[in-house]
Amino acid sequence: MSPSTCGCATVKGDLHGGADIVVELRLLGPVEFAEHGHAREVGPPQRRAVLAALAVDTALPVATDTLIARVWGTEPPDGARRALHAHIARIRRLCEQLGEVDDVRFRLVRRSGGYVLEAGPDQVDILRFRELVGRARASGRSDGTRASLLREALGLWHGEPLAGLSGQWAARVREAWRRQHVDAAVGWARLTLRAGDPVTVIGPLGDLLGEYPLVEPLSEVLMRALHAAGRGAEALDCYAALRRRLTEELGSDPSSGLQDVHQAILRGSLSPPPAWPTATGAGDDTTIALSFTPAPPAPSAPPPPPPPSRTATARLGELPSQLPMGVRGFTGRQDELAHLDGLLAAAAGPPRAVAICAVSGTAGVGKTALAVHWARTAQGAFPDGQLYVNLRGFAPGGPVMGPAEAMRGFLDAFGVPPGRIPVGLDAQTGLYRSLLTGRRVLVVLDNARDAEQIRPLLPGSPGCMALVTSRNLLTGLAAAEGAHLLALGLLTPDDALDLLTTRLGARRTEAEPSAVREIVDRCAGLPLALAVVAARAAADPRLPLSRLAQELRLADSRLDALDGGEPASQIRAVFSWSYHALRPEAARLFRLIGLHPGPDTGLAAAAALAGARPAETRPLLTELVRGHLLTETAARRYSFHDLLRAYAAELVATHDTEAVRHDATLRMLDHYAHTAHGADVLLTPQPRPVPLPTPQPGSQPLELTDHQQAQEWFGGELPVLLATVHRAAAEGFDAHTSTLASALTTFLDRHGHWRALAAVQTAALDAARRQGDTAGQADAHRGLGLAHDRLTRRDEARTHYLLALQLFGALGHHAGQARTHQHLARMSAAEQLHQQALSHAHHSLTHYRAADDRAGQSAALNHIGWLHAQLGYQEKALVYCRQALVLAEETGDPNGQAHTWDSLGYIHHHLAQYAQAVDCYQQAVALFHRTGEFHSEAASLVCLGDIHHACSAPRAAHGAWARALTIADRLGLADTDPLRTGLLPRLRLPHIPGPGGQARPGGARSHHRPGSALA
């Protein structure tokens, strides 16, 4: 609320004898200094965040670690401390400059407890705001004085507090200050009303209610003002609007106090508003801070489920923050950074549009470093998230990432559950762009091959920005999408010198200027080469730079055409002598990682390649990272630059025997196959048709302990696992191809990676045929049938299912036949062929019993029970589903338990056993929430609401439906989705007949199908 919206001007100098404030620090809006009311720029968002982190504790010491946590979060990048010191130096200088125009100086000083920003309380707007509000609360003041103090306090607000700053700390502080703002605004409005001036407050309150539509005290005081101004009909409309919002969003009614005000307006007997509470507690109202909390559900409503656990995908509704760590010691590129800043500024102005910039340049020139460095400095301009993906457009020996795979990563980052992700890329693109509508999101598309690869990934919402890097000049993107092209050349000699000086220190480079010039010249301005040279020199401070220059001079190899004859001379020479400086163990590991399919390598996999323990391997990886031959992209995950990957692959092919390469690859495949098998067992205990090869010594498989660890491992390793399947198939490791594909089936199916499932099962089928492996062929046919079934290719699915049944039958493999019949039952039910589905389900149960697979028996029994319920045989359905629940609980299968509780709720509802149905659906909702099946959670909430509605409990019904609608909104369900179309008419219903009815507003749940933990 600005001074103008309060109908008042800011009163200056009340705290200090009436003297105007010459210089002030503003936090209640953009973070900035102001001289005589005119804003003075502080700097980029990160510097403003540092200033805000100091200013909230003005005159108190703030520890360095606290500042880093406030600005960069709990996982700061490596260069955070250095960046903090640089920002503090700039802020200190700015404070010194401001001191030249004001008697009361801002000072930033270092104390034993941290950094202290020294300023008077009247010079920081949030401190002045709190002081004024505190004085207004003091007892003994007249209403007029209190209203004047609050009016002055509200005049300090210039927009959203800490505007443009991102991060959890800024969000928490911003929310707390907003509550104080609303509290003060309500107090000012009440005091002004009591003074007989309702017209003054109506406009400001209406604006504020638009920002906080569920805050009841705002609606109450606005209703009072409208009534007092003779606009009683508008006051009643205000109440009706609030009641509708509370019903739709929280499933609750207005508070009793607000209902009393409504009734008093209807009767024409409204009393004056209560006094605003003083510091001694006078008054009879609660503070606004409490009114931000939704009203608790009615006693008959189910308790809210616990928050979802973190798995491979983001939490539902979580804002993505995917930018990798920035480059240490980034220097130069000032013109390019200024160009990107200009694009951002232009996109923010009218008319707003999507800004697209494509950065191109040769390998190793620093495209990714520039993009990530700028993206990190510009994070504050994109408060709704930052997406990043390495498209691997030029990865040697590895698959290029298709747009569908990248799109799945983006949808996962926004927390969209797999079940709600459409099948086709066009539909996924529509969902993705719908999620970005109205948001400010930065999308970094790194290492793109061509324009076709990235077009589906471009945002469509004005205010978003896409930053693309590629070795190719993407002229097609400029022609069709209006992208700005930015060609990144080699570093100038001055910038190259700055890079070396930043890494090595001015004293060392100034001591040997001729050697430095030769190094710069022979590295040809290529940042990657300079970084490797600097790493070598930094590792041995006693090594003369002239020695390094001499090694470069005498090296007898030059960079061949690693990528189409690119003109970066001497890069292989830099790699070679940096490689030869390694200890033999580290050099061997560097070569062996060249056998890994990528895109990155975990510690355990690197240890398997080396045939060593992880504790022995990690120091070697650290040595490679320090030499800039590897990059640690995340905790214990390592990746190559493309040129370095090609160089390592060349070395291992040249220096290591075929037997060494075979054994290292075998250990790596054993590591992934056995870890994946263990993770799959945790997801779904079941007999496996494909036998597991005996692991080689030194393969280092991980021992995962629970469902969540398995989910997280699969999610984190998925790109590696998919690449490993195809590498194993290409190099003749057929047994590992089948084993890995089988272990991946459940995870890929549950998370909607159906095209990937089809690809790995096709590779597995070819491998099994080459081996003459009947069991492997049967399992691959089953997996292909499942993939085609999910992609709605029913004819192809049925063909593969029947082939799987034939092969499993020939082997006498009951578990394989059981799971295939289960798939056929599900597909038949989807085609409304319930009797055929029931036959398949009974066959499934028979085979699961023959295999002694209790988890499978549970799934089959639940399926049979559900199908009986669809056919109207509720008592028979109840028997089967109760048996299924016992087995699901005995086997510890939360997914199976959730679906069985849901089936039981449906059955009890149709038996008019409402209390039992409510209990069943509450159990299902909690379990679906725990396992992350949000669409199923919403479907169960719809049914739960229907039962409450049928039992004349409208408040509880609306609460359940409102929760379901919230999930539907977060899932981005289309307006035509059956779940959403059934919800909206339900939420408009005022009341329902008593419990004798079988009312199911919106129709039966025809969209529901029984689920299972088994894939």
Side-chain angles (χ1 to χ4, degrees), residues 704-883:
L704 307 175
T705 58
D706 57 33
H707 182 278
Q708 182 174 342
Q709 280 191 3
Q711 287 276 85
E712 291 175 349
W713 184 82
F714 270 127
E717 295 283 1
L718 185 59
V720 176
L721 293 169
L722 295 176
T724 301
V725 170
H726 296 293
R727 174 68 66 84
E731 297 187 4
F733 292 93
D734 290 333
H736 289 83
T737 303
S738 297
T739 302
L740 278 167
S742 180
L744 279 165
T745 302
T746 297
F747 182 84
L748 291 175
D749 177 58
R750 287 191 192 173
H751 289 265
H753 297 286
W754 298 313
R755 285 190 173 83
L757 177 61
V760 298
Q761 294 296 349
T762 299
L765 182 58
D766 292 341
R769 285 170 172 165
R770 286 193 296 268
Q771 295 181 94
D773 176 9
T774 304
Q777 293 177 56
D779 198 53
H781 277 301
R782 184 189 66 83
L784 278 168
L786 181 60
H788 286 301
D789 186 1
R790 299 302 198 192
L791 293 168
T792 65
R793 302 166 183 165
R794 297 279 164 72
D795 291 340
E796 295 96 323
R798 194 176 303 279
T799 297
H800 283 291
Y801 283 151
L802 294 177
L803 286 169
L805 274 182
Q806 179 183 343
L807 292 171
F808 280 132
L811 291 169
H813 196 289
H814 291 289
Q817 293 178 79
R819 296 179 75 188
T820 309
H821 275 298
Q822 181 181 332
H823 299 330
L824 284 164
R826 183 171 53 198
M827 193 168 71
S828 297
E831 296 171 330
Q832 303 299 310
L833 303 173
H834 290 107
Q835 290 294 348
Q836 185 182 96
L838 197 57
S839 174
H840 282 301
H842 277 291
H843 282 303
S844 177
L845 178 60
T846 299
H847 287 294
Y848 275 130
R849 283 173 172 164
D852 195 25
D853 183 350
R854 295 169 66 78
Q857 293 172 46
S858 171
L861 287 165
N862 179 46
H863 209 157
I864 293 170
W866 171 259
L867 290 168
H868 277 302
Q870 298 304 295
L871 293 168
Y873 306 129
Q874 307 300 335
E875 295 289 352
K876 203 169 185 179
L878 195 60
V879 173
Y880 281 109
C881 287
R882 283 174 173 168
Q883 294 176 22

Side-chain angles (χ1 to χ4, degrees), residues 314-320 383-387 406-418 420-422 426-443 456-464 966-974 980:
R315 288 192 184 98
L316 184 62
E318 186 173 89
L319 295 181
D384 299 311
Q386 305 91 42
L387 297 169
M407 181 66 72
R408 268 308 305 265
F410 285 172
L411 295 177
D412 286 345
F414 275 107
V416 180
R420 297 313 307 157
I421 294 177
D426 289 344
Q428 291 178 3
T429 301
L431 173 59
Y432 164 67
R433 289 177 176 161
S434 297
L435 287 172
L436 297 188
T437 300
R439 302 190 184 195
R440 293 186 59 82
V441 175
L442 174 64
V443 183
L457 306 173
L458 296 174
S461 177
C464 292
T966 298
I967 295 173
D969 289 339
R970 289 177 178 174
L971 295 179
L973 299 185
R980 181 183 286 279

